[in-house]
Amino acid sequence: MNKEITIYDIAKDLGVSPTTVSRALNDHPAVNTKTKQRIFEAADQMGYRSNVFASNLRRKSTNNIGIIVPRLNSSFQSSVLAGMEKVANEAGFNLIISQSLESYEKEKANARSMFNSRVDGLLVSLAGNTEKTEHFQAFMDKGIPVLFFDRVASQTGCTGVIIDNRQAGYNATKHLIQQGCKHIVHVLGNLNINVYAERLKGYKYALMDHDIAFSQDNVIHSDLNEEAGEDIAKKIMAMKPMPDGLFVSNDACAASCIRSLKQAGIAIPGDIAVVGFNNDVISRLIEPNLTTTHYPGYEMGEVAMKNLINHLSDSTEGVLQNTNTITLRSELIIRDSSLKKKSEA
Amino acid sequence: MNKEITIYDIAKDLGVSPTTVSRALNDHPAVNTKTKQRIFEAADQMGYRSNVFASNLRRKSTNNIGIIVPRLNSSFQSSVLAGMEKVANEAGFNLIISQSLESYEKEKANARSMFNSRVDGLLVSLAGNTEKTEHFQAFMDKGIPVLFFDRVASQTGCTGVIIDNRQAGYNATKHLIQQGCKHIVHVLGNLNINVYAERLKGYKYALMDHDIAFSQDNVIHSDLNEEAGEDIAKKIMAMKPMPDGLFVSNDACAASCIRSLKQAGIAIPGDIAVVGFNNDVISRLIEPNLTTTHYPGYEMGEVAMKNLINHLSDSTEGVLQNTNTITLRSELIIRDSSLKKKSEA
DNA sequence: CTGAAAGCGCTAACAC
DNA sequence: GTGTTAGCGCTTTCAG
């Protein structure tokens, strides 16, 4: 393993001081263009690579941004990550990514590790059972920006990038009502997660605004995964007056639910109109095509990362901190799975 | 922003030397248990956090592993990442992740950046248009292990974790033949990518072994995404004797293709039997359910990461380098989309 | 425009 | 079992 070459080697070789080399390599303006040129060439030719640690150690800043997501293998989350990576990469930041697997304990451990790795900023989408956010306090105390996306913590003073889940839930429900549904079941995930809690509110409000009584019996809690779809279908078929509308907080689950219902001979949307959430690929392929809410994952990633990086590079620290919430546009996409009437909503 | 506290502070506070503190914190055996205890308590109470850079600078090793994938927002890749993250996290490594967006140039830039970040090891799934692998030479020269997964470079001496794509292609094709198909079209991606090249070989061999003539006209090159499915459907319907079998190298694309064909009134599998690849969620939801090859993404991630970490911790450097290829089991999952006969293959 | 010198916080010899 | 010392490679005053 041949030895790493340092700015000292270059300096010696060229008969200048290490300081000058350092400055040249960092494109400092106060260095003669010619000297710079020579230094760059030498560095290149000698196979020099900067030692990030020495530099970090001195500057007390990494170029690393930490990201904690509930799961990496989720189509929504991976879109978000893709958007984040693009922006970060272009701005010269590295991404350190970890997953909480929906566990508060793991999230805490990951946050700790990010903290020790001295990330310049942190982007978080909270785990399902996270209730407190003390594990991010250390970051705030040190002035390291923490920004939440999608699954946000409202208590903290941190910025969050979200969609208006309440409105989206409202719109989805209203659409079903307008299609003539009177008895609408809502399937959702952990209510601890703002996303589901808000959609539920939207669902309730929409019912209320259209004089339909809300009943806890029409709310089904679920893991919202593929397997859960079957259970949900069973539950629905077991309901005494079978519902005529179904609003599931996730496309994959809605799709698997539709499959089970169809297998049992129930017509979609004839017997039950179904609305999903996320606008996953699957919503366009299942039959009938699934009405859903377009959820801009990639853009959310871009916006969150841009915002974080702005915070970092903004010398007037804290000024932008006032931005509390950035809400992205989401949109109900109406397809066949919910169209009982020919007229669109 | 309050000052960071260091081992010196702890040392002073406790009247011991920084060395002892350092040793204690690293759980060095040659430190009195009592002293250790005291140091841990002090560290905890003073809010100490280790400075990774100083440590890295000294030790000349990070605990970072770099990962370069073609795209983050791919269901297969995100499964792989999830598997990798799990293993790495448990072993105390951080993941620095970037995407090449299928571009050789970006892959090169990302590799360079990983190199400068001094990752301890690198995991790569190659971009579509990557033909040379010189950009990883720097790693090899420095003895930094590079391990490829899924999309591997055969030329290098690096280990690769893959599935037997040729065999999988062979099995898929053979299955179609056994279902009575005589005219089978194969849809694939960039032939530059081993994965597609190998599957094509498998397809050819299967035809040959069953005395069906191979024709270039039956091979369709595609981006294999959702939109491409429609084009493919058009192309197929335009073929003079319409094919009776279709082997698409990706589920999402196969599914969208099935949808288009069905819309045009073509019966699946009656008129055309279809086989996909990947065992994506979608294969279980499309109608008819899609015959496909189970592609163990999560396991691939786990295996690749475990292997890399073994390389790293193995003091007998290079010994395990001899492992050239690790092949995971993949398996044809037969569903309705290809079942022309009642008897299974 | 350039350089000398100090130090970021940690660890690894080497001593005791 | 503990301490002394030196130095990892860089950046940053401060002084020319």
Side-chain angles (χ1 to χ4, degrees), chain A residues 327-345:
Chain A
T327 306
L328 300 182
R329 188 194 321 284
S330 65
E331 159 188 33
L332 186 69
I333 298 181
I334 297 169
R335 302 208 183 94
D336 289 341
S337 72
S338 64
L339 282 182
K340 295 207 179 203
K341 306 176 170 179
K342 282 281 129 60
S343 66
E344 74 280 38

Side-chain angles (χ1 to χ4, degrees), chain A residues 4 49-50 52-53 62 82 85 89 98-99 110 115-116 118 142 226 259 262 282 284-285 287, chain B residues 4 49-50 52-53 62 82 85 89 99 110 115-116 118 142 226 259 262 282 284-285 287:
Chain A
E4 235 13 279
R49 64 168 172 164
S50 144
V52 206
F53 307 126
T62 73
E85 199 275 348
N89 198 311
S98 71
Q99 54 185 344
N110 289 345
F115 186 67
N116 285 329
R118 284 177 159 65
K142 282 253 150 35
E226 211 186 327
R259 184 180 53 169
K262 276 169 66 182
I282 209 164
R284 276 156 268 150
L285 291 170
E287 287 179 33
Chain B
E4 237 8 283
R49 65 168 170 163
S50 142
V52 205
F53 307 127
T62 72
E85 200 275 347
N89 199 311
Q99 55 185 344
N110 289 345
F115 186 66
N116 285 329
R118 284 176 161 66
K142 282 253 152 33
E226 211 188 326
R259 183 180 55 169
K262 276 169 66 182
I282 209 165
R284 276 158 268 150
L285 290 171
E287 290 180 28

Side-chain angles (χ1 to χ4, degrees), chain A residues 126-202:
Chain A
L126 293 169
N129 63 347
T130 296
E131 295 183 4
K132 3 176 202 181
T133 53
E134 304 158 357
H135 46 311
F136 302 116
Q137 195 54 47
F139 292 86
M140 317 197 181
D141 292 348
K142 282 253 150 35
I144 301 168
V146 177
L147 192 151
F148 294 96
F149 61 93
D150 190 45
R151 297 174 173 196
V152 303
S154 39
Q155 315 90 321
T156 68
C158 301
T159 304
V161 180
I162 51 172
I163 61 166
D164 189 337
N165 284 289
R166 192 183 308 183
Q167 189 63 50
Y170 187 97
N171 291 346
T173 311
K174 186 174 127 196
H175 165 70
L176 285 172
I177 295 171
Q178 286 175 338
Q179 292 300 312
C181 298
K182 304 276 183 216
H183 179 185
I184 301 171
V185 165
H186 180 35
V187 180
L188 41 60
N190 189 334
L191 271 182
N192 209 20
I193 301 176
N194 62 303
V195 156
Y196 301 117
E198 287 294 314
R199 288 178 204 164
L200 174 60
K201 271 192 197 150

Side-chain angles (χ1 to χ4, degrees), chain A residues 150-328:
Chain A
D150 190 45
R151 297 174 173 196
V152 303
S154 39
Q155 315 90 321
T156 68
C158 301
T159 304
V161 180
I162 51 172
I163 61 166
D164 189 337
N165 284 289
R166 192 183 308 183
Q167 189 63 50
Y170 187 97
N171 291 346
T173 311
K174 186 174 127 196
H175 165 70
L176 285 172
I177 295 171
Q178 286 175 338
Q179 292 300 312
C181 298
K182 304 276 183 216
H183 179 185
I184 301 171
V185 165
H186 180 35
V187 180
L188 41 60
N190 189 334
L191 271 182
N192 209 20
I193 301 176
N194 62 303
V195 156
Y196 301 117
E198 287 294 314
R199 288 178 204 164
L200 174 60
K201 271 192 197 150
Y203 162 79
K204 283 185 181 173
Y205 291 167
L207 292 184
M208 199 172 68
D209 287 355
H210 294 84
D211 303 316
I212 299 179
F214 168 77
S215 156
Q216 197 60 53
D217 299 340
N218 290 327
V219 175
I220 301 180
H221 290 261
S222 154
D223 281 347
L224 290 179
N225 54 28
E226 211 186 327
E227 299 83 54
E230 297 172 25
D231 288 346
I232 294 162
K234 272 185 209 141
K235 275 190 193 153
I236 286 171
M237 293 185 291
M239 290 177 87
K240 283 218 294 308
M242 224 172 53
D244 53 7
L246 180 58
F247 167 30
V248 184
S249 224
N250 166 315
D251 281 348
C253 182
S256 111
C257 198
I258 287 182
R259 184 180 53 169
S260 295
L261 290 173
K262 276 169 66 182
Q263 273 168 4
I266 293 170
I268 312 288
D271 296 331
I272 305 184
V274 181
V275 174
F277 214 100
N278 275 24
N279 196 21
D280 274 353
V281 185
I282 209 164
S283 65
R284 276 156 268 150
L285 291 170
I286 184 97
E287 287 179 33
N289 279 196
L290 188 59
T291 294
T292 190
T293 295
H294 174 63
Y295 205 166
Y298 193 88
E299 290 87 330
M300 187 174 278
E302 288 183 312
V303 168
M305 186 56 81
K306 269 184 199 154
N307 226 262
L308 181 66
I309 291 177
N310 280 348
H311 269 218
L312 293 176
S313 48
D314 193 351
S315 47
T316 60
E317 275 189 59
V319 168
L320 283 185
Q321 291 284 13
N322 295 327
T323 318
N324 191 45
T325 306
I326 298 173
T327 306
L328 300 182

Side-chain angles (χ1 to χ4, degrees), chain B residues 103-282:
Chain B
S103 141
Y104 166 65
E105 288 304 331
K106 248 187 155 278
E107 181 175 289
K108 208 164 135 183
N110 289 345
R112 173 113 212 114
S113 144
M114 299 278 179
F115 186 66
N116 285 329
S117 302
R118 284 176 161 66
V119 292
D120 286 351
L122 186 66
L123 290 161
V124 186
S125 187
L126 294 169
N129 64 346
T130 296
E131 295 185 1
K132 3 176 204 182
T133 52
E134 304 158 358
H135 47 310
F136 301 117
Q137 195 53 49
F139 292 86
M140 320 201 177
D141 291 349
K142 282 253 152 33
I144 300 168
V146 177
L147 193 152
F148 295 96
F149 61 94
D150 190 43
R151 297 174 173 196
V152 303
S154 39
Q155 315 91 322
T156 69
C158 300
T159 304
V161 180
I162 52 173
I163 61 166
D164 189 338
N165 283 289
R166 191 184 307 183
Q167 189 64 48
Y170 187 96
N171 292 346
T173 311
K174 185 174 129 200
H175 165 69
L176 284 172
I177 294 170
Q178 286 175 336
Q179 290 300 312
C181 298
K182 303 275 182 218
H183 179 184
I184 302 170
V185 165
H186 179 35
V187 179
L188 43 60
N190 190 336
L191 272 182
N192 210 18
I193 301 177
N194 63 302
V195 158
Y196 301 117
E198 287 294 315
R199 289 177 204 166
L200 174 60
K201 269 191 199 152
Y203 162 79
K204 282 185 182 175
Y205 291 167
L207 292 184
M208 200 172 69
D209 287 356
H210 295 82
D211 302 316
I212 299 180
F214 167 77
S215 156
Q216 196 61 54
D217 299 340
N218 291 328
V219 175
I220 300 181
H221 289 261
S222 154
D223 281 346
L224 290 178
N225 53 28
E226 211 188 326
E227 299 84 54
E230 298 172 24
D231 288 346
I232 294 162
K234 272 186 209 141
K235 275 191 193 152
I236 286 170
M237 292 185 289
M239 291 177 88
K240 283 217 297 302
M242 223 170 59
D244 53 7
L246 179 59
F247 167 30
V248 183
S249 223
N250 166 316
D251 281 347
C253 182
S256 113
C257 198
I258 286 183
R259 183 180 55 169
S260 295
L261 290 172
K262 276 169 66 182
Q263 272 167 6
I266 293 170
I268 311 289
D271 296 331
I272 304 184
V274 182
V275 174
F277 213 99
N278 274 24
N279 196 22
D280 275 352
V281 184
I282 209 165

Side-chain angles (χ1 to χ4, degrees), chain A residues 51-54 56-57 62 64 116-117, chain B residues 50-64 94 117-120:
Chain A
N51 185 324
V52 206
F53 307 126
N56 285 343
L57 177 57
T62 73
N64 294 160
N116 285 329
S117 303
Chain B
S50 142
N51 186 325
V52 205
F53 307 127
S55 164
N56 285 343
L57 177 57
R58 228 6 260 257
R59 290 183 304 106
K60 293 172 179 312
S61 109
T62 72
N63 259 330
N64 294 160
N94 289 319
S117 302
R118 284 176 161 66
V119 292
D120 286 351

